[in-house]
Amino acid sequence: GGSGGAAAAAASPLGVVPHQIRGYLADFRLAPAETEPFAKCICCSKAVLGRYAAEGTAFLERIVANSAELEVISGLQDMKAALREDEVVNFDEFDEDDDDM
């Protein structure tokens, strides 16, 4: 033990809330995947949780009206703006040189 996972799960009204859930159609099964939380997550980042703790329902009302604000608060918008198109690998496109195969 010592990780605090059980204490955190007990404190949540929903119990354990996974960051990812993988589904398998072959046997209609869902499997939560355990991963490290993303520091810029629009749901559980420290910045978003801190803002919610400080502002409560006023924060929720504002986010419902403009969910893009979550990207600003979490820092995700800045991260996306810093990406350079030439550094992104697109797995949907095929290299034209592979047509010779």
Side-chain angles (χ1 to χ4, degrees):
S3 68
S12 171
L14 299 176
V16 177
V17 181
H19 289 272
Q20 294 182 19
I21 300 176
R22 295 193 177 135
Y24 300 93
L25 290 176
D27 55 1
F28 301 102
R29 179 173 52 96
L30 297 177
E34 291 188 30
T35 60
E36 291 294 320
F38 179 48
K40 298 185 184 328
C41 179
I42 62 170
C43 298
C44 67
S45 67
K46 289 181 181 179
V48 171
L49 294 176
R51 189 72 66 94
Y52 171 66
E55 299 178 23
T57 48
F59 173 74
L60 295 178
E61 290 170 354
R62 206 169 61 249
I63 294 306
V64 167
N66 178 19
S67 62
E69 185 179 347
L70 286 172
E71 288 191 8
V72 175
I73 294 168
S74 68
L76 186 61
Q77 183 180 52
D78 291 339
M79 186 188 88
K80 288 168 49 176
L83 289 175
R84 291 187 20 209
E85 189 67 33
D86 61 334
E87 294 177 344
V88 176
V89 176
N90 187 347
F91 292 105
D92 292 337
E93 296 179 6
F94 294 97
D95 189 345
E96 292 179 14
D97 295 337
D98 289 345
D99 291 339
D100 297 333
M101 295 182 143

